[in-house]
Amino acid sequence: MVDRTHLKWFAEARFGMFIHWGLYSLLGRGEWVMFQERISPEEYAPLARRFRPRRFDAEAWVNLAREAGCKYVVFTTRHHDGFSLFDSEVSEFTSARTAAGRDFVAEYVRACRRAGLKIGLYYSLLDWRFPAYFSGPAKDPKGWEEHVRYSHAQVRELCTKYGKIDLLWYDGAWVPWKEGDPAVNSAPRGDVWRAAELNAMVRELQPHIVINNRSGTLEDYDTPEQHIEASPSGRPWEACMTMNDHWGYCRGDHNWKTTTQLLHNLVTCASGGGNLLLNIGPRADGTIPAPSVKRMRELGAWMSVNGRAVYGAGSAPFGGNNFGLTTARGNTVYLHVFYWPGRALTLPGVQPRVTSARLLATGERLKVDQEGDVLRLSGLPGAAPDRRDTVIALRLRDSARR
Ligand code: GLC
């Protein structure tokens, strides 16, 4: 039996905020800009001279997460471009040793702790500045070994310098799949990154840490990206998704999802027993684009009223139909009504006995009739009380969690 006590908070959190921020934010064309525009490390490095984020305010970021109802935050401590946002003994290419002169990870960790949010650190194993990454371990074993040691050393730093860390979000455990071909193979390669050894070290340093599945060993949970997919056999999972079409700040990307879409994504995750890690991409100066702030706050307004139907909630013993989705906690099933049916709602396939129904936001009681497995609620308001998702709480005679 796997011991999952360290995962309890994660399995109940349901909502986290992802932050993609780094040197690339200066260029405003996403976090892959260096690779996609074939910018050499020599051309890229001078960006560090311009990186002085005067308006960086870790508390403001973390407060936004809290306002949104997030329980944890994950911050890119170093992305594929190799620029560390922390002071490191194994790299000069860091925010601490260049123009900014600051350890942003330290500031971020402190802010999370103060706000009572769980602390997540994103770390990319690969670093595009290492030529060995592109030649691969077979062609350049020495250079590869140097890269692996450097990444292991940085993970050790992240696990020793900042006190208790709640979550480690690895990324980039690939190797270019044909040697010399810069196209990447997205399957993580734990063997060449020595992930088992790395994670054994991490767990020794941070016994309670939750680790994602992107270092090449399975670890604690799965990370479907830009789509929502429940993991088989009850493994914990977290869908990571952007609000527009980019992770890192992209000046030209105005393709924002609506708050309603984001909320439905969050509820979809909860209804499948998973979390949503929703991304923001602050500008290089540290400010967060207004559309992201607006959406986070609107989600927060909804969560402050309806959070009970999401936090710690999971799959219900019966699903939704064309009105929306269901979640469950204890002996309560929550109907998330996305598409308001009018004064009555009929739901077939309801085997458990329903003893009462009320609107979660106001406590207003609804009339319940149940004949066989067909549940009929009446006395609903004619128009949707919440146009995004009105929650109806059904009390069951017996426990509801599947
Ligand atoms: C991908 C991308 C990366 C992004 C991440 C978020 O692996 O390489 O840019 O940070 O996914 O899930």
Side-chain angles (χ1 to χ4, degrees), residues 18 20 31-32 79-80 122 169 171 174 214 225 240 247:
F18 212 169
H20 274 71
E31 79 289 354
W32 272 70
H79 209 271
H80 312 331
Y122 166 108
W169 214 100
D171 196 16
W174 320 302
R214 291 202 185 182
E225 178 171 325
C240 52
W247 300 100

Side-chain angles (χ1 to χ4, degrees), residues 92-115:
E92 292 298 312
F93 195 47
T94 73
S95 61
R97 299 187 186 196
T98 53
R102 284 161 77 175
D103 183 325
F104 293 111
V105 173
E107 296 183 38
Y108 157 78
V109 166
R110 223 175 295 133
C112 285
R113 215 163 265 149
R114 209 170 294 154

Side-chain angles (χ1 to χ4, degrees), residues 116-169:
L117 293 182
K118 297 285 185 192
I119 303 164
L121 303 182
Y122 166 108
Y123 183 79
S124 162
L125 288 169
L126 74 84
D127 179 333
W128 288 323
R129 296 171 312 137
F130 281 74
Y133 169 67
F134 295 99
S135 13
K139 261 206 183 127
D140 183 1
K142 214 170 136 246
W144 185 268
E145 177 59 23
E146 196 186 314
H147 188 346
V148 170
R149 282 197 188 171
Y150 148 84
S151 298
H152 281 214
Q154 287 208 314
V155 171
R156 174 183 282 280
E157 290 178 329
L158 292 172
C159 291
T160 47
K161 288 170 52 170
Y162 304 100
K164 184 174 178 229
I165 301 301
D166 301 293
L167 186 149
L168 185 55
W169 214 100

Side-chain angles (χ1 to χ4, degrees), residues 179-393:
E179 292 200 333
D181 182 344
V184 292
N185 175 4
S186 58
R189 289 282 307 274
D191 54 343
V192 296
W193 293 98
R194 298 208 305 271
E197 176 193 323
L198 178 64
N199 289 317
M201 171 188 81
V202 168
R203 291 199 191 277
E204 198 180 319
L205 296 169
Q206 296 280 347
H208 302 286
I209 203 161
V210 174
I211 305 180
N212 79 349
N213 65 341
R214 291 202 185 182
S215 62
T217 53
L218 278 181
E219 302 305 327
D220 296 316
Y221 76 94
D222 298 331
T223 53
E225 178 171 325
Q226 298 290 39
H227 71 284
I228 298 172
E229 187 184 349
S231 292
S233 69
R235 241 176 88 77
W237 59 277
E238 167 204 72
C240 52
M241 297 179 97
T242 51
M243 279 194 194
N244 54 3
D245 296 327
H246 287 80
W247 300 100
Y249 176 60
C250 182
R251 196 171 285 116
D253 184 350
H254 307 290
N255 195 24
W256 301 97
K257 295 174 188 71
T258 64
T259 302
T260 303
Q261 288 171 315
L262 298 171
L263 177 59
H264 290 189
N265 286 345
L266 174 58
V267 171
T268 304
C269 289
S271 76
N275 293 354
L276 175 68
L277 185 63
L278 183 58
N279 183 71
I280 61 163
R283 294 185 198 85
D285 69 358
T287 57
I288 304 170
S292 300
V293 175
K294 178 171 182 278
R295 283 159 180 74
M296 280 299 193
R297 291 201 172 131
E298 287 173 350
L299 289 171
W302 186 90
M303 286 292 269
S304 66
V305 176
N306 299 288
R308 256 177 298 168
V310 172
Y311 301 124
S315 306
F318 48 89
N321 62 0
N322 51 24
F323 69 80
L325 293 171
T326 58
T327 58
R329 206 177 63 169
N331 64 345
T332 305
V333 168
Y334 299 98
L335 307 183
H336 294 260
V337 187
F338 299 161
Y339 316 108
W340 195 254
R343 296 203 177 273
L345 187 152
T346 304
L347 181 59
V350 182
Q351 301 286 359
R353 293 297 95 187
V354 176
T355 56
S356 72
R358 60 193 168 80
L359 296 178
L360 183 62
T362 58
E364 189 181 324
R365 287 185 87 91
L366 308 173
K367 188 164 176 293
V368 178
D369 292 293
Q370 200 172 6
E371 236 180 86
D373 71 349
V374 178
L375 175 72
R376 191 174 154 82
L377 306 178
S378 50
L380 278 62
D386 186 315
R387 69 188 165 89
R388 297 198 167 103
D389 174 3
T390 304
V391 180
I392 297 174

